[in-house]
Amino acid sequence: MPILDTPRLILREFSIDDVDALACVLSDPETMRFYPAPLDQAGVEQWIARNRRRYAKDGHGLWAMISKASGELIGDCGLTIQEVDSACEVEIGYHVRRDHWGQGLAPEAARACRDFGFAHLHVQRLISLIRPENLPSRRVAEKNGMTVWKEVMRANLLHLVYSIQRETAAGG
Ligand SMILES: CC(C)(COP(=O)(O)OP(=O)(O)OC[C@H]1O[C@@H](n2cnc3c(N)ncnc32)[C@H](O)[C@@H]1OP(=O)(O)O)[C@@H](O)C(=O)NCCC(=O)NCCS
């Protein structure tokens, strides 16, 4: 069942059958260079299980990104609840399989998630947590209308908190 439909992508819930396809994204060292380590098979299984718990509890999570052109799973994008400075924020997150980088797919999915978030959730703001060195991800946040709100430490690493307010999204 599609959750979101964009010109080139479908976003749908992950199932455990997606482990091998998702491993092509999250087990790639280059894609995961801003994370502690690429995920192994067990890590990918846990990642899917964690997002399935989010669907049940929150009504959203990171969803599977499916290419309409090929039908393949080529990444993830979605909305997760994150604690930032003791407050709960809703984050837009994304990962794209390396052979699909640079085609504007993450911004296309992120924008759909942004619109979904403001349409369905009672939040004034959506955020993206991004390491300062992660220039491609910062670019995606900017293309999604976000600006840097503040800095936080997470897992002993500095992160920029990008944000967009509901009113700003409604205006553009
Ligand atoms: C971040 C990511 C999702 C972007 O996906 P994408 O679909 O390739 O996004 P885009 O097509 O918009 O390309 C990225 C943008 O960053 C720019 N970019 C890429 N490398 C860059 C660099 N080294 N310096 C500056 N800008 C860079 C690209 O030029 C492009 O911007 P442009 O369209 O204005 O030219 C993808 O790179 C990825 O999966 N990265 C690893 C996972 C990750 O870090 N996720 C985010 C965690 S916060």
Side-chain angles (χ1 to χ4, degrees):
M1 275 288 286
I3 305 282
L4 286 167
D5 188 318
T6 74
R8 291 177 293 170
L9 300 167
I10 300 263
L11 298 187
R12 61 148 173 83
E13 293 189 350
F14 277 103
S15 83
I16 202 65
D17 297 337
D18 295 318
V19 169
D20 291 346
L22 184 60
C24 293
V25 185
L26 300 182
S27 302
D28 177 59
E30 174 74 3
T31 300
M32 299 303 278
R33 70 193 185 284
F34 298 110
Y35 290 80
L39 299 190
D40 61 12
Q41 163 112 6
V44 176
E45 288 172 5
Q46 288 160 16
W47 194 98
I48 291 176
R50 186 161 64 249
N51 281 290
R52 291 191 59 78
R53 287 195 295 274
R54 285 176 169 139
Y55 307 149
K57 179 167 169 285
D58 306 326
H60 53 82
L62 289 166
W63 294 303
M65 182 192 289
I66 311 297
S67 161
K68 285 185 181 175
S70 65
E72 277 186 295
L73 190 158
I74 56 160
D76 68 75
C77 188
L79 299 163
T80 62
I81 297 174
Q82 302 288 339
E83 194 178 316
V84 178
D85 288 342
S86 306
C88 283
E89 304 285 346
V90 178
E91 182 192 26
I92 302 175
Y94 32 76
H95 305 85
V96 171
R97 205 175 72 195
R98 190 144 53 101
D99 60 343
H100 284 70
W101 287 1
Q103 300 174 30
L105 293 168
E108 184 171 317
R111 187 183 178 93
C113 289
R114 184 192 87 181
D115 293 346
F116 178 99
F118 284 130
H120 295 283
L121 308 177
H122 296 287
V123 292
Q124 280 309 311
R125 155 178 76 228
L126 294 168
I127 67 160
S128 287
L129 290 157
I130 305 177
R131 298 266 305 277
E133 311 90 303
N134 194 344
L135 298 178
S137 182
R138 292 178 64 171
R139 188 76 193 106
V140 174
E142 286 159 10
K143 289 196 234 180
N144 207 12
M146 293 184 163
T147 54
V148 176
W149 171 28
K150 59 182 176 179
E151 298 179 350
V152 291
M153 293 300 287
R154 293 173 75 82
N156 281 325
L157 293 168
L158 182 69
H159 284 72
L160 301 175
V161 185
Y162 274 83
S163 75
I164 183 168
Q165 298 290 325
R166 175 178 286 278
E167 302 75 43
T168 311

